[in-house]
Amino acid sequence: MNGGDHLEIEKTTRAEKSLAVLMSSCFSQLLRGVVDHNQALVAVLAPHLDRDMNELSPIEFSVLLLGAFELTRHPEVPYRVVINEAVELAKTFGGTTGTSL
């Protein structure tokens, strides 16, 4: 997450043609939720990590926030689906080293 508000992030994402498949109301709701609940999600996740949050890559950080938000705020989505989606996002967009830039 780049520190911007959800509207700025969504506008930037919509401009990226390769990410057009992500554009849906579900994407918007998840993005807004992650941005709006960022600090609470970090507080929930931090005790369970083996390193500081600032040591995560931006992709790792974003995927963890998204997964945590979906698990805590959308119980109608099966946890296995959330975990599988998070793994796929990390494989698709993440790096191979798992370290921050």
Side-chain angles (χ1 to χ4, degrees):
M1 305 300 301
N2 68 7
D5 68 18
H6 73 277
L7 294 174
E8 179 185 329
I9 297 167
E10 189 168 352
K11 181 180 176 184
T12 302
T13 305
R14 285 188 187 280
E16 179 60 47
K17 302 229 183 298
S18 65
L19 299 178
V21 70
L22 298 176
M23 296 299 102
S24 70
S25 62
C26 180
F27 170 81
S28 297
Q29 290 172 7
L30 292 174
L31 175 62
R32 179 181 218 159
V34 169
V35 171
D36 290 349
H37 297 94
N38 185 293
Q39 293 303 315
L41 295 168
V42 168
V44 168
L45 288 168
H48 303 287
L49 299 178
D50 63 352
R51 55 189 158 168
D52 289 336
M53 287 292 236
N54 61 356
E55 294 178 18
L56 297 172
S57 75
I59 298 298
E60 289 174 323
F61 182 68
S62 298
V63 169
L64 279 173
L65 290 178
L66 177 61
F69 176 76
E70 202 166 4
L71 285 170
T72 59
R73 303 295 175 125
H74 289 281
E76 73 278 6
V77 179
Y79 74 91
R80 291 175 190 215
V81 172
V82 174
I83 293 169
N84 186 56
E85 289 173 347
V87 169
E88 290 303 316
L89 283 171
K91 288 193 312 192
T92 301
F93 297 106
T96 57
T97 62
T99 59
S100 60
L101 301 175

Coordinates of all heavy atoms in Angstrom, one line a residue:
M1 N 0.9 -1.2 0.0 CA 0.0 0.0 0.0 C 0.9 1.2 0.0 O 1.8 1.3 0.8 CB -0.9 0.0 1.2 CG -1.7 -1.3 1.4 SD -2.9 -1.7 0.1 CE -3.9 -0.3 0.0
N2 N 0.6 2.1 -0.9 CA 1.5 3.3 -1.1 C 1.2 4.5 -0.2 O 1.8 5.5 -0.3 CB 1.5 3.7 -2.5 CG 0.2 4.3 -3.0 OD1 -0.7 4.5 -2.2 ND2 0.1 4.5 -4.3
G3 N 0.3 4.3 0.8 CA 0.0 5.4 1.7 C -1.1 6.4 1.2 O -1.5 7.3 1.9
G4 N -1.5 6.2 0.0 CA -2.6 7.0 -0.6 C -3.9 6.6 -0.1 O -4.1 5.5 0.5
D5 N -4.9 7.4 -0.4 CA -6.3 7.0 0.0 C -6.8 6.0 -1.1 O -6.2 5.8 -2.1 CB -7.2 8.2 0.1 CG -7.5 8.9 -1.2 OD1 -7.3 8.4 -2.2 OD2 -8.0 10.0 -1.1
H6 N -7.9 5.3 -0.8 CA -8.4 4.2 -1.6 C -8.7 4.8 -3.0 O -8.6 4.1 -4.0 CB -9.5 3.5 -1.0 CG -10.8 4.2 -0.9 ND1 -11.1 5.1 0.0 CD2 -11.9 4.2 -1.8 CE1 -12.3 5.6 -0.2 NE2 -12.8 5.0 -1.3
L7 N -9.2 6.0 -3.1 CA -9.6 6.5 -4.4 C -8.4 6.7 -5.3 O -8.4 6.4 -6.5 CB -10.4 7.8 -4.3 CG -11.8 7.7 -3.6 CD1 -12.4 9.0 -3.3 CD2 -12.7 6.8 -4.4
E8 N -7.3 7.2 -4.7 CA -6.1 7.5 -5.5 C -5.5 6.1 -6.0 O -5.1 6.0 -7.1 CB -5.1 8.2 -4.6 CG -3.8 8.4 -5.2 CD -2.8 9.1 -4.2 OE1 -3.2 9.8 -3.3 OE2 -1.6 8.8 -4.4
I9 N -5.5 5.2 -5.1 CA -5.0 3.8 -5.4 C -5.8 3.2 -6.5 O -5.3 2.6 -7.5 CB -4.9 2.9 -4.2 CG1 -3.9 3.5 -3.2 CG2 -4.5 1.5 -4.6 CD1 -4.0 2.9 -1.8
E10 N -7.1 3.3 -6.4 CA -8.0 2.7 -7.4 C -7.9 3.4 -8.7 O -7.9 2.7 -9.8 CB -9.5 2.8 -6.9 CG -10.4 2.0 -7.8 CD -11.8 1.8 -7.2 OE1 -12.0 2.2 -6.0 OE2 -12.7 1.3 -7.9
K11 N -7.7 4.7 -8.7 CA -7.5 5.4 -10.0 C -6.3 5.0 -10.7 O -6.3 4.7 -11.9 CB -7.5 6.9 -9.7 CG -7.3 7.7 -11.0 CD -7.3 9.2 -10.6 CE -7.0 10.0 -11.9 NZ -6.9 11.5 -11.5
T12 N -5.2 4.8 -9.9 CA -3.9 4.4 -10.5 C -4.0 3.0 -11.0 O -3.5 2.6 -12.1 CB -2.8 4.4 -9.4 OG1 -2.7 5.8 -8.9 CG2 -1.5 4.0 -9.9
T13 N -4.7 2.1 -10.3 CA -4.9 0.7 -10.7 C -5.7 0.6 -11.9 O -5.4 -0.2 -12.8 CB -5.5 -0.1 -9.5 OG1 -4.7 0.0 -8.4 CG2 -5.6 -1.6 -9.9
R14 N -6.8 1.4 -12.0 CA -7.7 1.4 -13.2 C -6.9 1.8 -14.4 O -7.2 1.4 -15.5 CB -8.9 2.3 -13.0 CG -9.9 1.7 -12.1 CD -11.2 2.5 -12.1 NE -12.1 2.1 -11.1 CZ -12.9 1.0 -11.3 NH1 -12.9 0.3 -12.4 NH2 -13.8 0.7 -10.3
A15 N -5.9 2.7 -14.3 CA -5.1 3.2 -15.4 C -4.1 2.1 -15.9 O -3.7 2.2 -17.1 CB -4.3 4.5 -15.0
E16 N -3.8 1.1 -15.1 CA -2.9 0.1 -15.5 C -3.7 -1.0 -16.3 O -4.5 -1.7 -15.7 CB -2.3 -0.6 -14.3 CG -1.3 -1.7 -14.6 CD -0.2 -1.3 -15.5 OE1 0.5 -0.2 -15.2 OE2 0.1 -2.0 -16.4
K17 N -3.5 -1.0 -17.6 CA -4.3 -1.9 -18.5 C -4.2 -3.4 -18.1 O -5.1 -4.1 -18.2 CB -3.9 -1.7 -19.9 CG -4.1 -0.2 -20.3 CD -4.8 -0.1 -21.6 CE -5.0 1.3 -22.1 NZ -5.7 2.2 -21.3
S18 N -3.0 -3.8 -17.6 CA -2.8 -5.2 -17.3 C -3.6 -5.7 -16.1 O -3.7 -6.9 -15.9 CB -1.3 -5.5 -17.1 OG -0.8 -4.8 -16.0
L19 N -4.1 -4.7 -15.3 CA -4.8 -5.0 -14.1 C -6.3 -4.9 -14.3 O -7.1 -4.9 -13.3 CB -4.3 -4.2 -12.9 CG -2.9 -4.4 -12.6 CD1 -2.5 -3.5 -11.4 CD2 -2.6 -5.8 -12.2
A20 N -6.8 -4.7 -15.5 CA -8.2 -4.4 -15.8 C -9.1 -5.5 -15.3 O -10.2 -5.3 -14.9 CB -8.4 -4.2 -17.3
V21 N -8.6 -6.7 -15.2 CA -9.4 -7.9 -14.7 C -9.8 -7.7 -13.3 O -10.7 -8.3 -12.8 CB -8.6 -9.2 -15.0 CG1 -7.4 -9.3 -14.1 CG2 -9.6 -10.4 -14.8
L22 N -9.0 -6.9 -12.5 CA -9.2 -6.7 -11.1 C -10.4 -5.8 -10.8 O -10.8 -5.7 -9.7 CB -8.0 -6.2 -10.4 CG -6.7 -7.1 -10.4 CD1 -5.6 -6.4 -9.8 CD2 -7.0 -8.4 -9.8
M23 N -10.8 -5.0 -11.8 CA -11.7 -4.0 -11.6 C -13.2 -4.5 -11.4 O -13.8 -4.9 -12.4 CB -11.7 -3.0 -12.7 CG -10.4 -2.2 -12.9 SD -10.0 -1.3 -11.4 CE -8.8 -2.3 -10.6
S24 N -13.6 -4.5 -10.2 CA -14.9 -5.0 -9.9 C -15.4 -4.3 -8.6 O -14.5 -3.7 -7.9 CB -15.0 -6.5 -9.7 OG -14.3 -6.9 -8.5
S25 N -16.6 -4.4 -8.3 CA -17.1 -3.8 -7.0 C -16.4 -4.5 -5.8 O -16.1 -3.9 -4.8 CB -18.6 -3.9 -6.9 OG -19.0 -5.2 -6.9
C26 N -16.1 -5.8 -6.0 CA -15.4 -6.6 -4.9 C -14.0 -6.0 -4.7 O -13.6 -5.8 -3.5 CB -15.3 -8.0 -5.3 SG -14.5 -9.0 -4.0
F27 N -13.3 -5.7 -5.7 CA -12.0 -5.1 -5.6 C -12.1 -3.8 -4.9 O -11.3 -3.5 -4.0 CB -11.4 -4.9 -7.0 CG -10.1 -4.1 -7.0 CD1 -8.9 -4.6 -6.7 CD2 -10.2 -2.7 -7.3 CE1 -7.7 -3.9 -6.7 CE2 -9.0 -1.9 -7.3 CZ -7.8 -2.5 -7.0
S28 N -13.0 -2.9 -5.3 CA -13.2 -1.6 -4.6 C -13.5 -1.7 -3.2 O -12.9 -1.0 -2.3 CB -14.3 -0.8 -5.3 OG -14.0 -0.6 -6.7
Q29 N -14.4 -2.7 -2.8 CA -14.7 -2.9 -1.4 C -13.5 -3.4 -0.6 O -13.3 -2.9 0.5 CB -15.9 -3.9 -1.3 CG -17.2 -3.4 -1.8 CD -18.2 -4.5 -1.8 OE1 -18.0 -5.6 -1.4 NE2 -19.4 -4.1 -2.4
L30 N -12.8 -4.3 -1.1 CA -11.6 -4.8 -0.4 C -10.5 -3.7 -0.3 O -9.9 -3.6 0.8 CB -11.1 -6.0 -1.1 CG -11.9 -7.3 -1.1 CD1 -11.3 -8.4 -1.9 CD2 -12.2 -7.8 0.3
L31 N -10.3 -3.0 -1.3 CA -9.3 -1.9 -1.3 C -9.7 -0.9 -0.2 O -8.9 -0.5 0.6 CB -9.2 -1.3 -2.7 CG -8.3 -0.1 -2.7 CD1 -6.8 -0.5 -2.4 CD2 -8.3 0.5 -4.1
R32 N -10.9 -0.5 -0.3 CA -11.4 0.5 0.7 C -11.3 0.0 2.1 O -10.8 0.7 3.0 CB -12.8 0.9 0.4 CG -13.3 1.9 1.4 CD -14.8 2.3 1.1 NE -14.9 3.7 1.4 CZ -15.8 4.5 0.9 NH1 -16.8 4.0 0.1 NH2 -15.9 5.7 1.2
G33 N -11.6 -1.2 2.3 CA -11.6 -1.8 3.6 C -10.1 -1.9 4.2 O -9.9 -1.6 5.3
V34 N -9.2 -2.3 3.3 CA -7.8 -2.4 3.7 C -7.3 -1.1 4.1 O -6.6 -0.9 5.1 CB -7.0 -3.1 2.6 CG1 -5.5 -3.0 2.9 CG2 -7.4 -4.6 2.5
V35 N -7.5 -0.1 3.2 CA -7.1 1.3 3.5 C -7.7 1.8 4.8 O -7.0 2.4 5.7 CB -7.3 2.2 2.3 CG1 -7.0 3.6 2.6 CG2 -6.5 1.8 1.1
D36 N -9.0 1.7 4.9 CA -9.7 2.2 6.1 C -9.3 1.5 7.4 O -9.3 2.2 8.5 CB -11.2 2.2 5.9 CG -11.7 3.1 4.8 OD1 -10.9 4.0 4.4 OD2 -12.9 3.0 4.4
H37 N -9.0 0.3 7.4 CA -8.7 -0.5 8.6 C -7.2 -0.9 8.7 O -6.8 -1.8 9.4 CB -9.5 -1.8 8.6 CG -11.0 -1.5 8.7 ND1 -11.8 -1.4 7.6 CD2 -11.8 -1.2 9.7 CE1 -13.0 -1.1 7.9 NE2 -13.0 -1.0 9.2
N38 N -6.3 -0.2 8.0 CA -4.9 -0.5 7.9 C -4.3 -0.7 9.3 O -3.6 -1.7 9.5 CB -4.2 0.6 7.1 CG -2.8 0.3 6.9 OD1 -2.0 0.3 7.8 ND2 -2.4 0.1 5.6
Q39 N -4.4 0.3 10.2 CA -3.8 0.2 11.5 C -4.3 -1.0 12.3 O -3.5 -1.6 13.0 CB -3.9 1.5 12.2 CG -3.2 2.7 11.6 CD -1.7 2.4 11.5 OE1 -1.1 1.9 12.4 NE2 -1.2 2.7 10.3
A40 N -5.6 -1.2 12.3 CA -6.1 -2.3 13.0 C -5.6 -3.7 12.5 O -5.3 -4.6 13.3 CB -7.7 -2.3 13.0
L41 N -5.5 -3.8 11.2 CA -5.0 -5.0 10.6 C -3.5 -5.2 10.9 O -3.1 -6.3 11.2 CB -5.2 -4.9 9.0 CG -6.6 -4.9 8.5 CD1 -6.7 -4.6 7.1 CD2 -7.3 -6.2 8.8
V42 N -2.7 -4.1 10.9 CA -1.3 -4.2 11.3 C -1.2 -4.7 12.7 O -0.4 -5.6 13.1 CB -0.6 -2.9 11.1 CG1 0.8 -2.9 11.7 CG2 -0.5 -2.6 9.6
A43 N -2.1 -4.2 13.6 CA -2.0 -4.6 15.0 C -2.4 -6.1 15.2 O -1.8 -6.7 16.1 CB -3.0 -3.7 15.8
V44 N -3.3 -6.6 14.4 CA -3.7 -8.0 14.5 C -2.6 -8.9 13.9 O -2.3 -9.9 14.5 CB -5.0 -8.2 13.7 CG1 -5.2 -9.7 13.5 CG2 -6.2 -7.6 14.4
L45 N -1.9 -8.5 12.8 CA -0.9 -9.3 12.2 C 0.4 -9.3 12.9 O 1.1 -10.3 12.9 CB -0.7 -8.8 10.7 CG -1.8 -9.1 9.8 CD1 -1.6 -8.3 8.5 CD2 -1.9 -10.6 9.5
A46 N 0.9 -8.1 13.4 CA 2.2 -8.0 13.9 C 2.7 -9.0 14.9 O 3.8 -9.5 14.7 CB 2.4 -6.6 14.4
P47 N 1.9 -9.4 15.8 CA 2.3 -10.4 16.8 C 2.6 -11.8 16.2 O 3.2 -12.6 16.8 CB 1.2 -10.5 17.8 CG 0.4 -9.2 17.6 CD 0.6 -8.9 16.2
H48 N 2.1 -12.0 15.0 CA 2.2 -13.3 14.4 C 3.3 -13.5 13.4 O 3.5 -14.5 12.8 CB 0.9 -13.7 13.8 CG -0.3 -13.7 14.8 ND1 -0.4 -14.6 15.8 CD2 -1.3 -12.8 15.0 CE1 -1.5 -14.3 16.5 NE2 -2.0 -13.2 16.0
L49 N 4.0 -12.4 13.2 CA 5.1 -12.4 12.2 C 6.4 -12.7 12.8 O 6.7 -12.4 14.0 CB 5.2 -11.0 11.5 CG 3.9 -10.6 10.7 CD1 4.1 -9.2 10.1 CD2 3.6 -11.6 9.6
D50 N 7.3 -13.2 12.0 CA 8.7 -13.6 12.5 C 9.7 -12.4 12.3 O 10.8 -12.6 12.5 CB 9.2 -14.8 11.8 CG 9.3 -14.7 10.3 OD1 8.9 -13.7 9.7 OD2 9.9 -15.7 9.7
R51 N 9.1 -11.3 11.8 CA 10.0 -10.1 11.6 C 9.1 -8.8 11.7 O 7.9 -8.9 11.7 CB 10.7 -10.1 10.2 CG 9.7 -10.3 9.1 CD 10.5 -10.6 7.8 NE 9.5 -11.3 6.9 CZ 9.8 -11.5 5.7 NH1 10.9 -11.1 5.1 NH2 8.9 -12.1 4.9
D52 N 9.7 -7.7 11.7 CA 8.9 -6.4 11.8 C 8.2 -6.2 10.4 O 8.7 -6.6 9.4 CB 9.9 -5.2 12.0 CG 10.4 -5.2 13.4 OD1 9.8 -5.8 14.3 OD2 11.5 -4.6 13.6
M53 N 7.1 -5.5 10.5 CA 6.3 -5.2 9.3 C 7.1 -4.4 8.3 O 6.9 -4.6 7.1 CB 5.1 -4.4 9.7 CG 4.0 -5.2 10.4 SD 3.3 -6.4 9.3 CE 1.6 -6.0 9.4
N54 N 8.0 -3.5 8.8 CA 8.8 -2.7 7.8 C 9.8 -3.6 7.1 O 10.4 -3.1 6.1 CB 9.4 -1.5 8.5 CG 10.4 -1.9 9.6 OD1 10.5 -3.1 9.9 ND2 11.0 -0.9 10.2
E55 N 10.0 -4.8 7.4 CA 10.9 -5.7 6.7 C 10.2 -6.5 5.6 O 10.9 -7.2 4.9 CB 11.6 -6.6 7.7 CG 12.5 -6.0 8.7 CD 13.1 -6.9 9.7 OE1 13.1 -8.1 9.5 OE2 13.6 -6.4 10.7
L56 N 8.9 -6.4 5.6 CA 8.2 -7.1 4.5 C 8.3 -6.3 3.2 O 8.4 -5.1 3.2 CB 6.7 -7.2 4.9 CG 6.4 -8.0 6.1 CD1 4.9 -7.9 6.5 CD2 6.7 -9.5 6.0
S57 N 8.3 -7.0 2.1 CA 8.2 -6.3 0.8 C 6.8 -5.7 0.7 O 5.9 -6.1 1.4 CB 8.4 -7.3 -0.3 OG 7.3 -8.1 -0.5
P58 N 6.7 -4.7 -0.2 CA 5.4 -4.1 -0.3 C 4.3 -5.1 -0.8 O 3.1 -5.0 -0.3 CB 5.6 -3.0 -1.4 CG 7.1 -2.7 -1.4 CD 7.7 -4.0 -0.9
I59 N 4.7 -6.1 -1.6 CA 3.7 -7.1 -2.0 C 3.3 -8.0 -0.8 O 2.1 -8.2 -0.6 CB 4.2 -7.9 -3.1 CG1 4.5 -7.1 -4.4 CG2 3.3 -9.1 -3.4 CD1 3.3 -6.4 -5.0
E60 N 4.3 -8.4 0.0 CA 4.0 -9.3 1.1 C 3.0 -8.5 2.1 O 2.0 -9.0 2.6 CB 5.2 -9.6 1.9 CG 6.1 -10.6 1.2 CD 7.4 -10.8 2.0 OE1 8.0 -9.8 2.5 OE2 7.9 -11.9 2.0
F61 N 3.4 -7.2 2.3 CA 2.6 -6.4 3.2 C 1.2 -6.3 2.8 O 0.2 -6.5 3.5 CB 3.3 -5.0 3.4 CG 2.6 -4.1 4.3 CD1 2.6 -4.3 5.7 CD2 2.0 -3.0 3.9 CE1 2.0 -3.5 6.6 CE2 1.4 -2.1 4.7 CZ 1.4 -2.3 6.1
S62 N 1.0 -5.9 1.5 CA -0.3 -5.7 0.9 C -1.1 -7.0 0.9 O -2.3 -7.0 1.3 CB -0.2 -5.2 -0.5 OG 0.4 -3.9 -0.5
V63 N -0.5 -8.1 0.6 CA -1.3 -9.4 0.5 C -1.7 -9.8 1.9 O -2.8 -10.3 2.1 CB -0.4 -10.5 -0.2 CG1 -1.0 -11.9 0.0 CG2 -0.2 -10.2 -1.6
L64 N -0.8 -9.6 2.9 CA -1.2 -9.9 4.3 C -2.3 -9.1 4.8 O -3.3 -9.6 5.4 CB 0.0 -9.7 5.2 CG 1.0 -10.9 5.3 CD1 2.2 -10.5 6.1 CD2 0.4 -12.1 5.8
L65 N -2.3 -7.8 4.5 CA -3.4 -6.9 4.9 C -4.7 -7.3 4.2 O -5.7 -7.4 4.9 CB -3.1 -5.4 4.5 CG -2.0 -4.7 5.3 CD1 -1.8 -3.3 4.8 CD2 -2.3 -4.7 6.8
L66 N -4.6 -7.6 2.9 CA -5.8 -8.0 2.2 C -6.4 -9.3 2.8 O -7.6 -9.4 3.0 CB -5.5 -8.2 0.7 CG -6.6 -8.7 -0.2 CD1 -7.8 -7.7 -0.2 CD2 -6.1 -8.8 -1.6
G67 N -5.6 -10.3 3.0 CA -6.0 -11.5 3.5 C -6.6 -11.4 4.9 O -7.7 -11.9 5.2
A68 N -5.9 -10.6 5.8 CA -6.4 -10.4 7.1 C -7.8 -9.6 7.1 O -8.7 -10.0 7.9 CB -5.4 -9.5 7.9
F69 N -7.9 -8.6 6.2 CA -9.2 -7.9 6.1 C -10.3 -8.9 5.7 O -11.3 -8.9 6.3 CB -9.1 -6.8 5.1 CG -10.4 -6.1 5.0 CD1 -10.9 -5.2 5.9 CD2 -11.2 -6.3 3.8 CE1 -12.1 -4.6 5.8 CE2 -12.4 -5.7 3.7 CZ -12.9 -4.8 4.6
E70 N -10.0 -9.7 4.7 CA -11.0 -10.6 4.2 C -11.4 -11.6 5.2 O -12.6 -11.9 5.4 CB -10.6 -11.2 2.9 CG -11.7 -11.7 2.0 CD -11.3 -12.0 0.6 OE1 -10.1 -11.9 0.2 OE2 -12.2 -12.4 -0.2
L71 N -10.4 -12.1 5.9 CA -10.7 -13.2 6.9 C -11.5 -12.6 8.1 O -12.4 -13.3 8.6 CB -9.4 -13.8 7.5 CG -8.7 -14.7 6.5 CD1 -7.3 -15.1 7.1 CD2 -9.5 -16.0 6.3
T72 N -11.2 -11.4 8.5 CA -11.9 -10.8 9.7 C -13.2 -10.1 9.3 O -14.1 -10.0 10.2 CB -11.0 -9.8 10.4 OG1 -10.6 -8.7 9.5 CG2 -9.7 -10.5 10.9
R73 N -13.3 -9.6 8.1 CA -14.5 -8.8 7.8 C -15.5 -9.4 6.8 O -16.6 -8.9 6.6 CB -14.1 -7.4 7.2 CG -13.2 -6.6 8.1 CD -13.9 -6.2 9.4 NE -13.0 -5.5 10.3 CZ -13.2 -4.4 10.8 NH1 -14.3 -3.7 10.5 NH2 -12.4 -3.8 11.6
H74 N -15.1 -10.6 6.2 CA -15.9 -11.2 5.3 C -16.0 -12.7 5.6 O -15.5 -13.6 4.8 CB -15.4 -11.0 3.8 CG -15.6 -9.6 3.4 ND1 -16.9 -9.2 2.9 CD2 -14.8 -8.6 3.3 CE1 -16.7 -7.9 2.6 NE2 -15.5 -7.5 2.8
P75 N -16.7 -13.1 6.7 CA -16.7 -14.5 7.1 C -17.5 -15.4 6.1 O -17.4 -16.6 6.1 CB -17.4 -14.5 8.4 CG -18.2 -13.2 8.5 CD -17.4 -12.2 7.6
E76 N -18.3 -14.7 5.2 CA -19.0 -15.5 4.2 C -18.1 -16.1 3.1 O -18.4 -17.0 2.4 CB -20.1 -14.6 3.5 CG -19.5 -13.6 2.5 CD -19.0 -12.3 3.2 OE1 -18.9 -12.2 4.4 OE2 -18.7 -11.4 2.4
V77 N -16.8 -15.6 3.1 CA -15.8 -16.2 2.1 C -15.1 -17.3 2.9 O -14.5 -17.0 3.9 CB -14.9 -15.1 1.6 CG1 -13.8 -15.7 0.7 CG2 -15.6 -14.0 0.9
P78 N -15.1 -18.5 2.4 CA -14.4 -19.6 3.0 C -12.9 -19.3 3.2 O -12.3 -18.7 2.3 CB -14.6 -20.8 2.1 CG -15.8 -20.4 1.3 CD -15.7 -19.0 1.1
Y79 N -12.4 -19.5 4.4 CA -11.0 -19.2 4.7 C -10.0 -19.8 3.8 O -9.0 -19.3 3.4 CB -10.6 -19.6 6.2 CG -10.5 -21.0 6.5 CD1 -9.3 -21.7 6.3 CD2 -11.6 -21.8 6.8 CE1 -9.1 -23.0 6.6 CE2 -11.4 -23.2 7.1 CZ -10.2 -23.8 7.0 OH -10.1 -25.1 7.2
R80 N -10.4 -21.0 3.2 CA -9.5 -21.7 2.3 C -9.4 -20.9 1.0 O -8.3 -20.9 0.3 CB -9.9 -23.1 2.0 CG -9.8 -24.0 3.2 CD -10.3 -25.4 2.9 NE -10.4 -26.1 4.2 CZ -10.2 -27.4 4.3 NH1 -10.0 -28.1 3.2 NH2 -10.2 -28.0 5.5
V81 N -10.5 -20.3 0.6 CA -10.5 -19.4 -0.6 C -9.6 -18.2 -0.4 O -8.8 -17.8 -1.2 CB -11.9 -19.0 -1.0 CG1 -11.9 -18.0 -2.1 CG2 -12.7 -20.3 -1.4
V82 N -9.7 -17.6 0.8 CA -8.9 -16.4 1.1 C -7.5 -16.7 1.1 O -6.6 -16.0 0.5 CB -9.3 -15.8 2.5 CG1 -8.4 -14.6 2.8 CG2 -10.8 -15.3 2.4
I83 N -7.1 -17.8 1.7 CA -5.7 -18.2 1.7 C -5.2 -18.6 0.3 O -4.1 -18.1 0.0 CB -5.5 -19.4 2.7 CG1 -5.8 -19.0 4.1 CG2 -4.1 -20.0 2.6 CD1 -5.9 -20.1 5.2
N84 N -5.9 -19.3 -0.4 CA -5.5 -19.6 -1.8 C -5.3 -18.4 -2.6 O -4.4 -18.3 -3.4 CB -6.6 -20.6 -2.4 CG -6.1 -21.0 -3.8 OD1 -5.0 -21.6 -3.9 ND2 -6.9 -20.8 -4.8
E85 N -6.3 -17.4 -2.5 CA -6.2 -16.2 -3.3 C -4.9 -15.4 -2.9 O -4.2 -14.8 -3.7 CB -7.4 -15.3 -3.1 CG -8.6 -15.8 -3.8 CD -9.9 -15.1 -3.4 OE1 -9.9 -14.3 -2.5 OE2 -10.9 -15.3 -4.1
A86 N -4.6 -15.4 -1.6 CA -3.4 -14.7 -1.1 C -2.2 -15.3 -1.6 O -1.2 -14.6 -2.1 CB -3.4 -14.6 0.4
V87 N -2.1 -16.6 -1.6 CA -0.9 -17.3 -2.2 C -0.8 -17.0 -3.6 O 0.3 -16.7 -4.1 CB -1.0 -18.8 -1.9 CG1 0.0 -19.6 -2.6 CG2 -0.9 -19.1 -0.4
E88 N -1.9 -17.1 -4.4 CA -1.8 -16.8 -5.8 C -1.4 -15.3 -6.1 O -0.6 -15.1 -7.0 CB -3.1 -17.1 -6.5 CG -3.5 -18.6 -6.6 CD -2.4 -19.4 -7.3 OE1 -1.9 -18.9 -8.4 OE2 -2.0 -20.5 -6.8
L89 N -1.9 -14.4 -5.3 CA -1.4 -13.0 -5.5 C 0.1 -12.8 -5.2 O 0.8 -12.2 -5.9 CB -2.2 -12.1 -4.6 CG -3.6 -11.7 -5.0 CD1 -4.4 -11.0 -3.8 CD2 -3.6 -10.9 -6.2
A90 N 0.5 -13.5 -4.1 CA 1.9 -13.4 -3.8 C 2.8 -14.0 -4.9 O 3.9 -13.5 -5.2 CB 2.2 -14.1 -2.5
K91 N 2.4 -15.2 -5.4 CA 3.1 -15.8 -6.5 C 3.1 -15.0 -7.8 O 4.1 -14.9 -8.5 CB 2.6 -17.2 -6.8 CG 2.9 -18.2 -5.7 CD 2.7 -19.6 -6.0 CE 1.4 -20.1 -6.6 NZ 1.2 -21.6 -6.6
T92 N 2.0 -14.3 -8.1 CA 1.9 -13.6 -9.3 C 2.6 -12.3 -9.2 O 3.3 -11.9 -10.2 CB 0.4 -13.3 -9.6 OG1 -0.3 -14.6 -9.8 CG2 0.2 -12.5 -10.9
F93 N 2.5 -11.5 -8.1 CA 3.0 -10.2 -8.1 C 4.3 -10.1 -7.2 O 5.0 -9.0 -7.2 CB 2.0 -9.2 -7.6 CG 0.8 -9.1 -8.5 CD1 -0.4 -9.7 -8.2 CD2 0.9 -8.4 -9.7 CE1 -1.5 -9.6 -9.0 CE2 -0.2 -8.3 -10.5 CZ -1.4 -8.9 -10.2
G94 N 4.6 -11.1 -6.4 CA 5.7 -11.0 -5.4 C 7.0 -11.3 -6.1 O 7.1 -11.8 -7.2
G95 N 8.0 -11.0 -5.3 CA 9.4 -11.3 -5.8 C 9.8 -12.7 -5.3 O 9.1 -13.4 -4.7
T96 N 11.0 -13.0 -5.6 CA 11.5 -14.3 -5.3 C 12.3 -14.3 -3.9 O 12.4 -15.4 -3.3 CB 12.5 -14.9 -6.3 OG1 13.5 -14.0 -6.5 CG2 11.7 -15.1 -7.6
T97 N 12.7 -13.1 -3.5 CA 13.5 -13.1 -2.3 C 12.7 -12.9 -1.0 O 13.1 -13.2 0.1 CB 14.6 -12.0 -2.3 OG1 13.9 -10.7 -2.5 CG2 15.5 -12.2 -3.5
G98 N 11.5 -12.3 -1.1 CA 10.7 -12.0 0.0 C 11.2 -11.0 1.0 O 10.9 -10.9 2.1
T99 N 12.1 -10.1 0.5 CA 12.6 -9.0 1.3 C 12.2 -7.7 0.7 O 11.9 -7.5 -0.4 CB 14.2 -9.1 1.4 OG1 14.7 -8.9 0.0 CG2 14.6 -10.4 2.0
S100 N 12.3 -6.7 1.6 CA 11.9 -5.3 1.1 C 13.0 -4.7 0.2 O 14.1 -5.2 0.2 CB 11.6 -4.4 2.3 OG 12.8 -4.3 3.1
L101 N 12.6 -3.7 -0.5 CA 13.5 -3.0 -1.4 C 14.4 -2.1 -0.7 O 14.3 -1.5 0.2 CB 12.7 -2.3 -2.5 CG 11.8 -3.1 -3.3 CD1 10.9 -2.2 -4.2 CD2 12.6 -4.1 -4.1

